[in-house]
Amino acid sequence: MTTGVPTSVIAATGLVGGYATARWTKKRPLGGVALAAAGAVAARGWQQKAGNATAAALSGAYVAAFAGSHPLAKKIGAWPSVFAVAGGVALASWVAVDRRK
């Protein structure tokens, strides 16, 4: 069962929300919980709406975006980096899954 929220929104919210949670609470593991929870919800939506291969690819993009935001933050700043990678994952999710529905 999926929510009525587009997977692109869930994924972007997970990346932004995970960072925001870690930053504002000063508890990185708590941010990781938020990031992982949203990623799991998004992955389930991707799998249900577009199949295993698409879910695996987008899940990989989600993890890569999280990892890639760190070195990117050194170049452009933390928040711009988080928004950039969240936007990239959201776009990929929309193209691969959400625009179909």
Side-chain angles (χ1 to χ4, degrees):
M1 184 169 164
T2 60
T3 67
V5 179
T7 59
S8 55
V9 172
I10 295 167
T13 300
L15 289 161
V16 173
Y19 176 69
T21 301
R23 182 165 179 131
W24 291 328
T25 65
K26 299 189 184 341
K27 296 185 184 333
R28 293 180 75 175
L30 191 55
V33 169
L35 176 82
V41 172
R44 183 162 172 87
W46 294 327
Q47 189 275 328
Q48 289 177 342
K49 294 176 183 177
N52 292 332
T54 300
L58 289 171
S59 294
Y62 187 81
V63 172
F66 167 70
S69 69
H70 292 83
L72 183 60
K74 292 179 182 180
K75 296 183 185 298
I76 66 172
W79 280 112
S81 173
V82 170
F83 286 126
V85 300
V89 170
L91 178 62
S93 180
W94 181 81
V95 167
V97 178
D98 296 333
R99 73 177 174 157
R100 296 179 185 188
K101 304 296 173 201

